[in-house]
Amino acid sequence: AEVLAGNGLAVEISDQYCPTPCVSWMVKDLKGLAGVMITASHNPWAWNGVKFKESYGGSASPEYIAPIEKRIIDNEKEGRKIQKINFDAGEKKGLITRFSPRVGYVHQLKKLVDIEAIKKSKIKILNDPLFGAGTHFLKVILGDMVGEIHTEADPKFGGLNPEPIDKNLGELMAGVKKGGYTVGIATDGDADRIGAVDEQGNFVNSHQIFALLLKHYVEDKKLKGAVIKSVTATEMISVLGKKYKIPVIETPVGFKYICSELVKHNALMGGEESGGISFAPHVHERDGILNGLMLLEMMAQRKKNLKELIDELYREIGAFYFDRVDLHLERGKIENLTERLASLKIEEIAGHKVAQKNPIDGFKYILDDSSWLMIRASGTEPLVRIYAEAGSMERVKKLLDEGKKIVSQ
């Protein structure tokens, strides 16, 4: 804030730790020039970084980021002194203004969701913000129907990776079951991603949530429009797209790519494998808190719990199961793997022929039984990720085992 104000830019700064989707929405609502968020997001705390939001509120595109990165390099080469102003002086001049994320942003969420329907439903909710910026928001909006865990302000996230996936949500799963809750809702470190738990304590993954929300928007809210999905997101979206006669557009991994397509097509929603899902009437950006509220709204309006909604979805379009394995490798080995996979001719995986290869972002092998396996290097950490989706968890495990063998060859 001191640097921006020192360069003559007026700054709105949160008066407390703040969800990324709040910053995204405020850029759009206030017609701001840009948004800046300092966060490690879903990554381990040591991977702290800067997220930029463009004027429409969405993730900054590679074209937007390139001149920023160039300026950083040029400034370091030239030894340019940072221009900044003292924070108090910036406030006195009116260049720095504080805002509360619990005011305007919360009001916006209440406008988008039928809060009264959720309250009347008597759903019992356990919320796990994973020690992150989503802490207390569901409680502020829904009151006593929300129980909470992991709400302490801990910059190391209690030793957890603040990513709302099953291996990090053991306490939420146990808490839902033990406490007789209807549902568990989790968000990542900066609250733009979502995970959930059904009333039996089973993890509900981002693919299932993405598909349920698409169903909710089209069938319950009577909305239409293109849907944007990353290449690692579930094929359920493609199946539902055909059913609803709406276009489904695939992108590389990274919400910045999804955002570009959201804007280009004025799409209804966009989603990725890692739990980031957007809703056009809000902002072309992920919002884990809004997605949690939308799931609760769907449950309330249909008078069904999460397991019933998923069972209903699978009866309509077939069962889809997904899992992912992350392998830590040195950068050099990752580069060698990428080169090897580019030249490797894989014709069969786990007893099924490769029907199609998708080179959008890594190496995706679509098999003749419609299951798929994908291998790609992470864009944020020294990892190789292996993804698989199939009609049973047994088949998914076989595919992942084959993926590990391919990587270790």
Side-chain angles (χ1 to χ4, degrees):
E2 289 179 339
V3 172
L4 291 168
N7 283 271
L9 295 167
V11 182
E12 294 265 358
I13 184 170
S14 177
D15 64 5
Q16 58 192 279
Y17 55 82
C18 176
T20 291
C22 171
V23 172
S24 297
W25 174 74
M26 285 189 66
V27 173
K28 177 184 173 182
D29 185 57
L30 299 176
K31 296 181 172 57
L33 180 69
V36 180
M37 184 75 192
I38 299 172
T39 176
S41 187
H42 63 290
N43 298 301
W45 66 271
W47 291 90
N48 210 17
V50 184
K51 288 183 175 181
F52 287 96
K53 305 297 172 185
E54 293 194 40
S55 57
Y56 63 88
S59 297
S61 66
E63 293 76 22
Y64 186 97
I65 294 294
I68 297 173
E69 292 176 334
K70 185 178 183 302
R71 179 62 64 88
I72 292 168
I73 293 165
D74 290 347
N75 284 349
E76 287 181 346
K77 278 181 183 173
E78 294 165 13
R80 187 167 176 264
K81 190 179 176 184
I82 294 169
Q83 289 176 242
K84 60 191 287 189
I85 190 173
N86 175 274
F87 192 89
D88 291 338
E91 281 193 303
K92 283 175 185 172
K93 286 187 174 184
L95 284 170
I96 300 175
T97 310
R98 296 177 189 262
F99 72 88
S100 170
R102 305 260 174 98
V103 181
Y105 171 62
V106 165
H107 179 67
Q108 163 72 352
L109 296 178
K110 287 180 175 179
K111 283 195 325 190
L112 294 167
V113 180
D114 189 344
I115 300 299
E116 287 310 306
I118 298 172
K119 287 183 175 178
K120 284 177 186 173
S121 72
K122 307 295 184 187
I123 294 169
K124 193 178 174 186
I125 305 147
L126 185 59
N127 182 215
D128 184 358
L130 289 170
F131 303 95
T135 298
H136 300 318
F137 277 86
L138 288 185
K139 186 88 170 173
V140 166
I141 294 167
L142 296 171
D144 292 340
M145 64 195 304
V146 179
E148 298 177 302
I149 60 172
H150 298 156
T151 58
E152 301 88 346
D154 183 348
K156 292 190 178 180
F157 303 100
L160 288 169
N161 276 12
E163 183 178 9
I165 55 178
D166 52 354
K167 69 178 181 181
N168 299 328
L169 298 180
E171 287 184 57
L172 179 63
M173 291 187 272
V176 167
K177 206 170 177 183
K178 187 178 178 183
Y181 288 93
T182 318
V183 63
I185 300 290
T187 47
D188 73 328
D190 64 334
D192 62 0
R193 301 183 181 205
I194 184 173
V197 173
D198 71 18
E199 76 285 356
Q200 294 179 0
N202 300 311
F203 177 65
V204 177
N205 66 42
S206 59
H207 306 275
Q208 294 165 321
I209 294 169
F210 190 2
L212 287 178
L213 291 181
L214 174 55
K215 189 176 167 69
H216 181 46
Y217 296 152
V218 175
E219 295 182 13
D220 303 335
K221 290 182 173 289
K222 309 301 180 189
L223 299 170
K224 283 286 180 87
V227 178
I228 317 299
K229 69 180 277 290
S230 62
V231 68
T232 54
T234 177
E235 280 303 301
M236 284 190 278
I237 303 306
S238 302
V239 174
L240 287 172
K242 286 176 185 172
K243 178 184 175 182
Y244 299 139
K245 296 181 173 58
I246 56 176
V248 175
I249 297 152
E250 206 166 64
T251 72
V253 175
F255 216 83
K256 57 191 175 185
Y257 301 111
I258 292 174
C259 269
S260 296
E261 296 297 322
L262 287 168
V263 174
K264 183 177 171 184
H265 299 279
N266 194 25
L268 170 63
M269 67 186 302
E272 59 184 351
E273 170 263 334
S274 52
I277 304 166
S278 71
F279 179 55
H282 179 43
V283 64
H284 287 318
E285 185 56 285
R286 299 159 288 193
D287 192 326
I289 299 167
L290 174 65
N291 291 326
L293 288 168
M294 287 293 188
L295 265 188
L296 297 172
E297 180 187 70
M298 186 181 188
M299 291 169 63
Q301 290 180 350
R302 293 188 175 226
K303 296 180 172 58
K304 292 178 179 175
N305 60 38
L306 262 185
K307 187 176 185 305
E308 288 171 329
L309 290 174
I310 292 165
D311 288 346
E312 180 182 72
L313 175 70
Y314 283 3
R315 281 195 301 271
E316 289 175 13
I317 65 170
F320 288 76
Y321 295 89
F322 175 93
D323 204 358
R324 183 187 93 193
V325 174
D326 294 348
L327 303 178
H328 288 265
L329 292 179
E330 294 171 8
R331 290 284 182 197
K333 288 184 179 178
I334 292 172
E335 288 169 13
N336 291 339
L337 172 66
T338 303
E339 288 174 16
R340 183 164 59 80
L341 287 175
S343 61
L344 204 61
K345 289 185 178 179
I346 298 174
E347 304 297 339
E348 188 178 296
I349 298 173
H352 282 266
K353 288 184 179 178
V354 175
Q356 188 184 341
K357 294 176 185 176
N358 186 332
I360 283 180
D361 185 1
F363 304 88
K364 185 174 183 179
Y365 307 96
I366 301 155
L367 309 180
D368 59 14
D369 65 344
S370 297
S371 64
W372 57 269
L373 173 75
M374 182 166 177
I375 301 169
R376 66 176 287 275
S378 166
T380 54
E381 298 176 80
L383 296 172
V384 168
R385 302 195 194 277
I386 306 172
Y387 313 78
E389 186 175 54
S392 70
M393 274 313 296
E394 183 185 5
R395 175 85 179 131
V396 167
K397 285 174 183 172
K398 282 183 182 176
L399 289 169
L400 290 174
D401 285 343
E402 286 296 312
K404 288 181 202 171
K405 287 177 189 174
I406 292 167
V407 169
S408 62
Q409 281 175 3

